[in-house]
Amino acid sequence: MYLAIREIRFAKVRYSLIAAIMLLVAFLVLFVTGLAQGLAYDNAASIENMNATHFVMEKDSNHRFTRSQIKEQALTQAEAIVGENNVQPLGVRMTTVTAKAASLKLDVTLLAVKPEGWLLPSVIEGNTLTVKSEGQVLVDDKLKDSGIRIGTVIVDQTSGMKWTVSGFVTQQSFSHSPAVFLSDRDWQQLQLVSATRQGVSGTDTDKAYSAFAIHSDKAQVERLAAALPDAEIVTKSAAVSAIPGYKEEQGSLKMMIAFLFVISAFVLAVFFYVITIQKSSQFGILKAIGTRTTYLLLSVTLQVLLLCAGSLMISVLLVLGVKALLPSGMPFQLDAFTLAVSCGAFLVMSLAGSLFSVWKVARIDALDAIGRTAA
């Protein structure tokens, strides 16, 4: 401890430069991590917030809500197995809406849920959907920035159907588009109107949903899968991963984070290795006068830990400060658990980068080092 701190105080400029580099790398790692988590949540917030364990979808739909069409008849079978209160119909459709008497066009995702059901999110402003609601919708509060207010009439560009905004919800989005919640009754009407416009006929055209959200245990899921051979049971995590662009977006960001960790370890390893080579003679003299090798190794490791911990503390404060300054629409999230894991991983990678220096110190021969000094 004494030797490590003493050396840092003696060579302030050298170690300050190393600390500054570690600070910048740590800040970049934490910022990109927060951005990745924020984008992941913004891409699937409406599904993540649902109190469901699995979803029943059409087979061969690749776990995608927008490709799935499951008939209402399967709902009765699901209710008989997992319980009526544990199954909720869910409709998902991405579309474009316009505000009545305005030229505004908005890309949104329509989410059909049962009024007063457990899939319906809490309202932060206005009135929620009830069994008597008809032609009313709840919209994500991000649409306020586009001029949408309670009482605004929005029009579906594809079907021409009109709905009145009755309330606002928060943190509800799908595939980076704001969510619009409508009742299952309006969803059936939307299905019928869309089918009529496309020239599709059939008695059960308006009796289909994108999926059924269920809340059940593993045994019930297995029974349900056996009872519905033409459907597939999808976990919530699998359904989230299947959202268009989710895996590709997260894969790219996670690869960037991994490379940043590797780069930070490599940069730190190079700096400390060069410093260790420059101090070979001093280490040799210390060994010659009886200093144990383990003490020197602990000194080098402690220097890395002190610099890394100090840089992390400052970078965390900087990231939190930047987070407070970011606009509300910026998809950035960094919870305490993710922050702790990222900082822990950074410490581990920094220690891994210091192994070259530790290996070099352990191999220094006292007589050779003294000989080089004398020469």
Side-chain angles (χ1 to χ4, degrees), residues 52-261:
T53 57
H54 298 79
F55 294 94
V56 181
M57 295 186 186
E58 182 184 6
K59 186 170 286 187
D60 300 326
S61 62
N62 294 329
H63 300 175
R64 291 194 177 185
F65 293 101
T66 52
R67 294 180 181 177
S68 175
Q69 285 290 317
I70 187 164
K71 302 302 180 182
E72 192 180 37
Q73 289 85 342
L75 180 61
T76 305
Q77 295 176 273
E79 289 176 344
I81 295 175
V82 301
E84 185 177 351
N85 295 329
N86 293 324
V87 183
Q88 295 277 288
L90 174 65
V92 181
R93 173 181 289 192
M94 302 183 72
T95 186
T96 300
V97 298
T98 59
K100 193 175 181 181
S103 59
L104 187 66
K105 290 187 177 183
L106 301 169
D107 292 325
V108 300
T109 299
L110 301 177
L111 294 174
V113 296
K114 189 176 181 180
E116 301 178 3
W118 48 267
L119 287 184
L120 190 67
S122 300
V123 175
I124 62 171
E125 182 182 347
N127 300 318
T128 188
L129 299 180
T130 65
V131 291
K132 297 181 180 179
S133 299
E134 187 172 353
Q136 296 182 347
V137 293
L138 303 177
V139 301
D140 187 77
D141 58 355
K142 294 188 187 71
L143 291 177
K144 287 183 178 180
D145 298 334
S146 301
I148 302 298
R149 299 291 183 266
I150 293 178
T152 300
V153 177
I154 59 176
V155 183
D156 180 28
Q157 188 170 270
T158 303
S159 65
M161 290 192 64
K162 300 177 182 179
W163 304 292
T164 302
V165 177
S166 66
F168 287 100
V169 294
T170 187
Q171 295 183 343
Q172 298 292 334
S173 56
F174 182 93
S175 193
H176 296 303
S177 63
V180 174
F181 289 85
L182 65 157
S183 67
D184 55 348
R185 184 189 307 173
D186 287 332
W187 171 262
Q188 299 296 353
Q189 183 65 23
L190 173 64
Q191 295 284 84
L192 180 60
V193 172
S194 299
T196 302
R197 287 198 168 198
Q198 295 172 7
V200 178
S201 60
T203 57
D204 60 346
T205 303
D206 59 334
K207 299 294 183 180
Y209 295 93
S210 300
F212 299 140
I214 60 176
H215 187 84
S216 61
D217 54 31
K218 184 178 179 181
Q220 290 176 325
V221 169
E222 292 176 351
R223 289 173 54 198
L224 186 59
L228 299 174
D230 295 330
E232 58 181 348
I233 315 300
V234 182
T235 62
K236 181 192 283 190
S237 58
V240 167
S241 298
I243 293 176
Y246 183 91
K247 289 192 295 185
E248 293 79 4
E249 180 181 84
Q250 290 300 300
S252 300
L253 290 171
K254 288 178 180 178
M255 184 176 292
M256 289 174 58
I257 295 171
F259 273 114
L260 285 173
F261 276 120

